[in-house]
Amino acid sequence: MKKLPTNHNNLLLSIVIPIHNEADVIPTLIDRLALVSRKLPVTTELLFVDDGSKDNSVALLLESRHRYPHIRVLRLSRNFGKEAAATAGLNHARGDAVILMDADLQDPPELIPQMVSEWRKGTDVVLMKRRSRAGESWLKRTTASLFYRLINRISDAPIPVDTGDFRLMSRRTIDALNQLPERNRYLKGMFAWVGMPTVTLEFDRDPRAAGHTKWNYFKLLQLAIEGITSFSIKPLRLALVLGIMSAGAGGLFGLLEVLKALFFGVSTPGYASMIAIITFLSGIQLLCVGILGEYVGRIYMEAKQRPVFIVADDSDENEKAYGSAITMKGVSNDQNH
Ligand code: UDP
Ligand code: MG
């Protein structure tokens, strides 16, 4: 393990940043982080997790290690997705506190000193709440707000509205988080589940500094389904309730038809209403099978017990022969780094 230059109080802060094709922002990001970390009362480790970038992000990061020795680059074997990349970073961070932030400077590094000072006052989590969401469309803001309202209605540990992954967490919070074994990782929900004493700070979220977002509505929908199904089994109960309701309504309708036939003679055939009822009920059935499928799929993924990520390279572990040694690591065998 590489020795980092230490300061007087010997506390280490890890700043974890997942990177996926961020070559456009990396130079600015590193400059701003370097400027900020010089002012901090703690030593900092900048832990970049390269999530299978196809551009020259990794080369840029490694190059800047000559100027800033406290940069560490963890390279995943392929693109695993942001949640897995962040998980890898949180697993490997060595700090007494860890800050998780995006690479695109939407989370301003200049707020870090304030976060550190709140932590030094004794809190475990410093949560960054967005006051505004500059550069995000009306549609994105509305769907996000609807999603939070829905998920908080059905899940046990509410997720604070308008907070992202940008936050500081103490060592014991990180250790608790690293113990959660699930493969389907919905970090925001996991943070909320872990809990711990929390201080919330407000900030104005900047638009992306350069490059473009890797999210689209399909990916966001997937994340939303992930969020709901990994933290609540209420949709399964909804399926049950829908089944009971439609069976009840169907039974009542049948009874009415029989009574009508007894007292007023045979009623006229009604193909249209038949078709409407059949399609409605088969729709409900398919919906319920789908909901069930989501959970079965999750059980399947968990049952396979695969690690969440694979580390191909750690710049600190193979300093001399960078890239020659392949170390295979995952959550299952590399819990508390
Ligand atoms: N990211 C990642 N893997 C991916 C997609 C994104 O590690 O597959 C990183 C990305 O480099 C950035 C962070 O996750 O640091 C947030 O991504 P982005 O800014 O594209 O998301 P948004 O802010 O639009 O939600
Ligand atoms: Mg962003």
Side-chain angles (χ1 to χ4, degrees), residues 18-20 22 51 79 81-82 85 102-104 106 140 205 208 212-215:
I19 296 283
H20 182 63
E22 300 283 7
D51 188 19
N79 179 250
K82 185 195 165 177
D102 285 357
D104 57 9
Q106 279 193 287
K140 174 141 188 210
R205 195 158 207 240
R208 209 171 213 293
H212 44 82
T213 175
K214 276 101 207 162
W215 291 103

XYZ file of all heavy atoms in Angstrom, residues 18-20 22 51 79 81-82 85 102-104 106 140 205 208 212-215, ligand 1:
194
model
N -16.863 7.903 -9.555
C -16.990 6.968 -10.675
C -16.784 7.699 -12.005
O -17.240 8.835 -12.161
C -18.438 6.444 -10.587
C -19.102 7.217 -9.528
C -18.159 8.211 -8.948
N -16.083 7.057 -12.909
C -15.736 7.705 -14.180
C -16.159 6.821 -15.342
O -15.766 5.656 -15.426
C -14.190 7.885 -14.267
C -13.672 8.818 -13.188
C -13.769 8.345 -15.654
C -13.917 10.278 -13.457
N -16.965 7.372 -16.213
C -17.273 6.651 -17.450
C -17.212 7.641 -18.610
O -18.082 8.481 -18.741
C -18.653 5.999 -17.343
C -19.014 5.198 -18.553
N -18.290 4.091 -18.941
C -19.984 5.345 -19.466
C -18.824 3.612 -20.049
N -19.852 4.358 -20.392
N -15.217 10.369 -19.196
C -15.298 11.744 -18.710
C -14.056 12.558 -19.067
O -13.714 13.508 -18.369
C -15.507 11.766 -17.188
C -16.768 11.086 -16.699
C -18.033 11.922 -16.909
O -17.946 12.981 -17.567
O -19.096 11.503 -16.426
N -15.050 3.077 -14.855
C -16.097 2.106 -15.147
C -16.103 1.801 -16.643
O -17.015 2.160 -17.369
C -17.436 2.698 -14.693
C -18.568 1.695 -14.776
O -18.286 0.500 -14.826
O -19.735 2.128 -14.786
N -17.593 -2.015 -18.247
C -18.599 -1.091 -17.721
C -19.636 -1.859 -16.901
O -20.349 -2.717 -17.418
C -19.267 -0.357 -18.888
C -20.350 0.596 -18.419
O -21.517 0.352 -18.650
N -19.975 1.644 -17.728
N -21.743 -0.116 -14.694
C -22.805 0.805 -14.292
C -22.379 1.611 -13.080
O -21.527 1.193 -12.301
N -22.987 2.793 -12.955
C -22.560 3.721 -11.923
C -22.669 3.165 -10.506
O -21.776 3.366 -9.685
C -23.399 4.998 -12.016
C -22.916 6.030 -11.057
C -23.882 7.149 -10.852
C -23.442 7.892 -9.615
N -24.265 9.059 -9.349
N -19.821 0.869 -9.882
C -18.558 1.605 -9.805
C -18.438 2.309 -8.452
O -17.387 2.285 -7.802
C -18.470 2.612 -10.945
N -20.086 12.869 -8.292
C -20.033 12.640 -9.738
C -18.843 13.370 -10.331
O -18.366 14.358 -9.783
C -21.301 13.175 -10.407
C -22.495 12.274 -10.154
O -22.300 11.224 -9.515
O -23.598 12.632 -10.593
N -18.410 12.883 -11.492
C -17.249 13.479 -12.132
C -17.584 14.783 -12.855
O -16.709 15.603 -13.086
C -16.655 12.501 -13.125
N -18.841 14.981 -13.193
C -19.178 16.053 -14.141
C -19.267 17.447 -13.521
O -19.751 18.367 -14.163
C -20.468 15.719 -14.854
C -21.613 15.488 -13.889
O -21.441 15.757 -12.696
O -22.677 15.038 -14.341
N -21.236 18.520 -11.392
C -22.577 18.931 -10.975
C -22.598 19.022 -9.456
O -23.412 19.725 -8.883
C -23.619 17.914 -11.439
C -24.006 18.093 -12.888
C -25.250 17.299 -13.232
O -25.206 16.084 -13.337
N -26.353 17.976 -13.416
N -37.714 15.934 -16.595
C -36.863 15.175 -15.686
C -37.183 15.538 -14.235
O -37.268 14.674 -13.368
C -35.384 15.432 -15.994
C -34.452 14.774 -14.992
C -33.205 14.182 -15.588
C -32.455 13.391 -14.537
N -31.032 13.370 -14.739
N -27.327 22.976 -7.550
C -26.674 22.021 -8.440
C -26.387 22.673 -9.781
O -27.255 23.230 -10.421
C -27.559 20.790 -8.626
C -26.788 19.637 -9.229
C -27.454 18.312 -8.925
N -26.448 17.249 -8.930
C -26.486 16.215 -9.756
N -27.452 16.083 -10.608
N -25.540 15.300 -9.713
N -24.111 20.103 -15.946
C -22.931 19.340 -16.326
C -21.870 20.265 -16.923
O -22.169 21.086 -17.776
C -23.384 18.333 -17.380
C -22.575 17.101 -17.377
C -23.216 16.071 -18.278
N -22.981 14.738 -17.737
C -21.783 14.189 -17.673
N -20.740 14.819 -18.133
N -21.625 13.003 -17.139
N -21.610 14.696 -21.987
C -23.063 14.602 -21.833
C -23.470 13.442 -20.945
O -22.705 12.519 -20.704
C -23.769 14.536 -23.192
C -23.097 13.599 -24.139
N -23.321 12.253 -24.098
C -22.167 13.818 -25.103
C -22.580 11.675 -25.007
N -21.858 12.590 -25.631
N -24.704 13.517 -20.441
C -25.172 12.531 -19.475
C -25.272 11.152 -20.107
O -25.531 11.025 -21.294
C -26.539 12.943 -18.893
O -27.002 11.894 -18.045
C -27.552 13.203 -19.984
N -25.056 10.128 -19.281
C -25.149 8.762 -19.782
C -26.525 8.185 -19.515
O -26.778 7.022 -19.731
C -24.095 7.882 -19.095
C -22.744 7.951 -19.745
C -21.840 8.858 -18.979
C -20.783 9.449 -19.866
N -20.176 10.618 -19.260
N -27.396 9.028 -18.968
C -28.712 8.516 -18.640
C -29.692 8.821 -19.759
O -29.609 9.845 -20.399
C -29.229 9.149 -17.354
C -28.468 8.695 -16.173
C -27.508 9.401 -15.509
C -28.564 7.442 -15.512
N -27.007 8.659 -14.475
C -27.638 7.458 -14.460
C -29.347 6.311 -15.708
C -27.476 6.377 -13.608
C -29.183 5.245 -14.857
C -28.254 5.278 -13.817
N -20.995 6.784 -14.590
C -20.381 5.549 -14.401
N -20.817 4.473 -15.129
C -21.840 4.554 -16.038
C -22.474 5.819 -16.188
C -22.022 6.903 -15.452
O -19.459 5.406 -13.602
O -22.166 3.548 -16.661
C -20.520 7.949 -13.805
C -20.233 9.198 -14.604
O -18.930 9.218 -15.106
C -20.448 10.294 -13.574
C -21.556 9.722 -12.703
O -21.567 8.316 -12.923
O -19.321 10.504 -12.762
C -22.905 10.337 -13.027
O -23.192 10.198 -14.391
P -23.978 11.281 -15.225
O -23.468 12.651 -14.910
O -23.920 10.845 -16.645
O -25.435 11.105 -14.648
P -26.517 12.265 -14.272
O -25.803 13.312 -13.483
O -27.006 12.778 -15.568
O -27.542 11.528 -13.473
